[in-house]
Amino acid sequence: MSGDGGPAPEARPQPASAVSPQQPQQPQKPPGDAKSGTGQATASASPSQEAAAPASPGSPQAAAPQGLLAGKVVVIDPGHNVGNFQHGAEIDKQVDIGTNRKECDTTGTTTNSGYKEADFTLDVSRRLRTALEARGVKVVLTHQADRPFGPCIDERARIGNEAKADAVVSVHADGTAAGNRGFHVILPAKVKGGAADTSAIVGPSRELGERIAGNFTRTTGSAPANYLGGGTGLVVRDDLGGLNLSTRPKVFIECGNMRDANDAALLMDPQWRQKAAQGIANGIIGFLGG
């Protein structure tokens, strides 16, 4: 979940032509943020055969997109960290997100059977990296569970800023009530306060989010969320430090609801996770002009 350390506010639905949604349920305020659950994980699943393969050197059709994307930088932010639940005092410390202060990080949610969001986000992020690198993109991960906890949300934003990323995507899964299904992409609201000023990234972040949403539903077959976003698959939020502090085009994607049995079955399936990674990659590639 992308609570950034707190419960999600009522989403403000935004229109998006990039998605062909299912008939949505009436939007509603999500229940409390389940990111306060525990989370420790290992990314043990290996990429499926659907993983994007590097282009053949002799293929002129594949060489052109690689050239177009050469020099492009994408930062991938696997939500939470497998060790966060062991470092409650550290991740509870407040950090400045410009408009207010929030927890350094949260632990993330789990499925009812115990599959951790931190497992999911790191696995999908690694698959996403492979797909993008196959197209010539330079990829930076904010972490690989190679640190005891975190990074804090302000550091996650700073990593993207300092990399001068052409796009930043934070990978998550939601933790709301059973029956709430589907994915949604979170876009930055226009905020200004302290170190936060999203005025320059609101437009390009929306384009990035629309492209990811459209490609995600086409590649995975998953519908936009039926519980927020008005069926568009897009939600604008002004309370996420990872978005507020970003100076680069950035979105969060909640790939499904870990607390719904049907969504959870998809999220735990390595083949579906490969499709999810490819859908996100396709959206990023389109945004980058590849």
Side-chain angles (χ1 to χ4, degrees):
M1 291 180 67
S2 54
D4 237 12
E10 185 169 4
R12 295 193 293 271
Q14 299 290 327
S17 59
V19 186
S20 300
Q22 65 180 17
Q23 186 65 29
Q25 295 183 2
Q26 198 66 14
Q28 64 185 52
K29 182 174 180 178
D33 190 343
K35 282 198 173 299
S36 58
T38 60
Q40 182 179 17
T42 57
S44 58
S46 59
S48 73
Q49 294 178 346
E50 295 175 28
S56 168
S59 170
Q61 292 180 336
Q66 277 197 331
L68 287 172
L69 298 181
K72 297 293 186 181
V73 178
V74 172
V75 170
I76 303 168
D77 179 28
H80 313 290
N81 183 318
V82 294
N84 277 5
F85 83 104
Q86 296 174 323
H87 294 273
E90 292 90 343
I91 67 171
D92 283 346
K93 290 181 179 178
Q94 299 279 303
V95 298
D96 187 355
I97 67 167
T99 53
N100 54 64
R101 297 181 68 83
K102 294 190 73 171
E103 293 91 337
C104 158
D105 202 0
T106 55
T107 56
T109 189
T110 69
T111 65
N112 292 330
S113 64
Y115 179 58
K116 313 299 192 296
E117 182 185 1
D119 274 328
F120 173 82
T121 64
L122 187 57
D123 183 70
V124 171
S125 294
R126 286 171 168 165
R127 294 170 186 270
L128 175 55
R129 176 181 60 187
T130 298
L132 291 173
E133 287 180 341
R135 299 297 298 271
V137 177
K138 178 182 177 181
V139 177
V140 176
L141 267 63
T142 59
H143 75 96
Q144 294 197 67
D146 49 357
R147 52 190 293 165
F149 64 91
C152 292
I153 56 179
D154 55 343
E155 183 181 351
R156 290 173 188 265
R158 188 163 58 250
I159 291 169
N161 297 345
E162 292 178 350
K164 294 182 168 50
D166 296 286
V168 185
V169 176
S170 190
V171 179
H172 289 265
D174 213 349
T176 182
N180 292 341
R181 296 199 61 191
F183 74 92
H184 64 280
V185 179
I186 304 174
L187 313 176
K190 188 172 182 179
V191 299
K192 186 174 177 65
D197 185 354
T198 62
S199 56
I201 69 165
V202 168
S205 296
R206 172 167 286 277
E207 180 186 350
L208 173 63
E210 288 176 348
R211 287 183 178 273
I212 289 175
N215 281 280
F216 193 87
T217 196
R218 283 191 290 272
T219 304
T220 65
S222 292
N226 63 8
Y227 59 99
L228 77 176
T232 66
L234 300 177
V235 173
V236 176
R237 286 178 62 172
D238 62 5
D239 65 320
L240 299 180
L243 294 180
N244 288 4
L245 297 174
S246 182
T247 61
R248 316 304 296 179
K250 182 173 182 178
V251 300
F252 284 46
I253 179 166
E254 300 277 4
C255 296
N257 176 20
M258 297 195 107
R259 293 295 184 172
D260 177 83
N262 292 309
D263 270 11
L266 297 176
L267 297 168
M268 292 188 291
D269 179 359
Q271 292 186 340
W272 188 90
R273 294 199 298 270
Q274 182 61 38
K275 292 179 182 179
Q278 191 62 57
I280 299 168
N282 290 348
I284 295 171
I285 290 165
F287 173 76
L288 296 178

